[in-house]
């Protein structure tokens, strides 16, 4: 079912849509659906059917013409293609409300994304045990993760501390960053920073509401 | 400084970038910068200078050629243009770890996004007081918010309960939804659903790591 990617130059937009297809397929699997064709899958993801077919074609030949895709096989093939079907080790910096929620978010572990080290720069938090782990000082990040292979760093600090957190992660050799802090990060070329930006979405909603009000 | 939008057809990508500019400008304002030109602003946002100039042009004439933009005025102009410079009333459905973190996330209130009603379907949580509010039963959402004008609904339920939460919000007349649950939502045409999707970002990072490993 799954073959080597046809092209190494897979557009980032496709990667993002694949993650959306995974969610839609998980919904379908939960509802007991076994087979899906590209159009309902596209509807569930807010794109069109030809986009789905085009995106999936990057990863080889999926599905049977006129029959559709097997939900579970497609789910497995996409997660394999994305390379996410393994355990990921993550370090989290900033154990405030959001950091703790993410630490306790069982959807992360369900998908193999495990937080195995936690850091904060608040002396009142350092040494505290959370989720079975000791909170370490962010400035000592490099030392504490020397012996573990961290794949991804998560930043959940206040915005004014996000850059320092990122710099500590970079200096420890962690260049894949998921940033939840509402701040832009200056990063070296080699780094990949993904922004989970609540406000960007809230602003988009707010703009829609304002625009709709103007037309009423 | 700020004039009426030149065009009502502002691309959603521009709106999303404006939210990013707001973050970068907030960083600059925090660092005490008063003036910025389009290129450093573009660098901070991962786009190019002409994109910044083009995006800002949708909202009238900003900045002075050869001098740059006044950071605070531009920040104000963008938030006015987005229509976000007012109070927004929000209802939150799902007071698990993530819901509670969002409830306590002071960046929301700082930006005028206030959660004024909270719901859950867990009988052990209903009636509990969180952040000064009583947790109400999600099925009674429509009744409880009859007298308040809710702008935005936030969904922080587990994925399998996200659709029910959304349906309750829709039936209460709330069509602007910020969905944190890792599930796709079936929504009426009139609705705007924004997805805050942690996994979509984690998958993108994971794919980059996998791809880099392949090339080594």
């Amino acid at each position: 079912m799954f073959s080597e990617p046809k092209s190494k130059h897979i557009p980032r937009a496709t990667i993002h849509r694949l993650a959306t297809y995974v969610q839609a397929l998980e919904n379908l699997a939960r509802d007991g659906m076994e087979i899906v064709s590209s159009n309902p899958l596209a509807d569930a993801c807010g794109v069109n059917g030809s986009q789905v077919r085009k995106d999936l074609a990057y990863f080889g030949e999926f599905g049977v013409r006129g029959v559709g895709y097997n939900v579970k096989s497609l789910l497995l093939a996409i997660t394999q293609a994305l390379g996410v079907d393994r355990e990921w080790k993550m370090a989290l910096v900033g154990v405030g409300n959001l950091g703790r929620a993410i630490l306790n978010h069982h959807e992360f572990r369900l998908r193999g994304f495990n937080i195995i080290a936690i850091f904060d720069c608040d002396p009142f938090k350092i040494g505290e045990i959370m989720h079975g782990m000791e909170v370490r000082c962010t400035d000592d990040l490099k030392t504490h993760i020397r012996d573990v292979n961290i794949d991804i760093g998560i930043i959940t600090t206040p915005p004014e501390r996000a850059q320092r957190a990122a710099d500590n992660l970079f200096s420890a050799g962690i260049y894949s960053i998921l940033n939840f802090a509402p701040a832009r990060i200056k990063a070296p070329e080699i780094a990949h920073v993904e922004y989970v930006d609540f406000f960007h979405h809230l602003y988009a909603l707010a703009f829609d509401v304002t625009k709709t009000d103007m037309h009423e």
Side-chain angles (χ1 to χ4, degrees), chain A residues 178-195:
Chain A
L178 185 64
N179 176 34
F180 285 83
R184 303 296 300 178
I185 303 284
K186 291 184 204 81
E189 279 274 318
I190 184 186
H192 299 285
V193 182
E194 288 278 328
Y195 294 86

Side-chain angles (χ1 to χ4, degrees), chain A residues 86-149:
Chain A
R86 66 163 178 100
E87 202 211 341
W88 295 89
K89 289 180 181 159
M90 310 197 291
L92 181 141
V93 185
V95 289
N97 291 312
L98 184 62
R100 272 179 298 212
I102 285 168
L103 210 47
N104 289 306
H105 199 330
H106 78 292
E107 293 288 327
F108 281 75
R109 282 190 303 283
L110 262 181
R111 287 168 167 81
F113 290 94
N114 296 318
I115 295 164
I116 61 161
I118 54 177
F119 300 90
D120 204 289
C121 64
D122 177 350
F124 290 100
K125 288 181 185 157
I126 294 164
E128 212 183 303
I129 303 295
M130 290 184 191
H131 222 269
M133 285 173 283
E134 189 179 335
V135 179
R136 310 284 193 161
C137 173
T138 311
D139 290 331
D140 302 333
L141 196 146
K142 194 175 172 176
T143 316
H144 284 297
I145 62 158
R146 200 166 27 197
D147 303 324
V148 280
N149 206 352

Side-chain angles (χ1 to χ4, degrees), chain A residues 12-181:
Chain A
R12 181 150 287 253
T14 295
I15 302 302
H16 281 171
R17 279 192 297 270
L18 287 178
T20 308
Y21 302 156
V22 168
Q23 276 190 2
L25 291 165
E26 284 175 344
N27 273 12
L28 294 170
R30 243 191 325 265
D31 294 346
M33 294 271 286
E34 288 181 10
I35 301 286
V36 66
S37 61
S38 50
N39 289 330
L41 180 58
D43 285 347
C45 298
V47 297
N48 61 51
S50 69
Q51 184 73 69
V52 170
R53 290 186 292 273
K54 197 177 149 198
D55 286 338
L56 296 181
Y58 278 108
F59 300 94
E61 295 302 322
F62 291 112
V64 177
R65 192 175 296 269
V67 176
Y69 304 104
N70 177 292
V71 171
K72 281 194 182 152
S73 309
L74 183 55
L75 204 43
L76 186 68
I78 294 177
T79 52
Q80 281 181 345
L82 287 171
V84 294
D85 57 334
R86 66 163 178 100
E87 202 211 341
W88 295 89
K89 289 180 181 159
M90 310 197 291
L92 181 141
V93 185
V95 289
N97 291 312
L98 184 62
R100 272 179 298 212
I102 285 168
L103 210 47
N104 289 306
H105 199 330
H106 78 292
E107 293 288 327
F108 281 75
R109 282 190 303 283
L110 262 181
R111 287 168 167 81
F113 290 94
N114 296 318
I115 295 164
I116 61 161
I118 54 177
F119 300 90
D120 204 289
C121 64
D122 177 350
F124 290 100
K125 288 181 185 157
I126 294 164
E128 212 183 303
I129 303 295
M130 290 184 191
H131 222 269
M133 285 173 283
E134 189 179 335
V135 179
R136 310 284 193 161
C137 173
T138 311
D139 290 331
D140 302 333
L141 196 146
K142 194 175 172 176
T143 316
H144 284 297
I145 62 158
R146 200 166 27 197
D147 303 324
V148 280
N149 206 352
I150 299 283
D151 301 296
I152 294 169
I154 300 181
I155 299 176
T156 42
T157 64
E160 63 275 17
R161 292 199 210 119
Q163 187 64 52
R164 199 177 113 188
D167 291 340
N168 275 306
L169 288 163
F170 298 146
S171 76
I174 303 169
Y175 294 109
S176 295
I177 308 284
L178 185 64
N179 176 34
F180 285 83

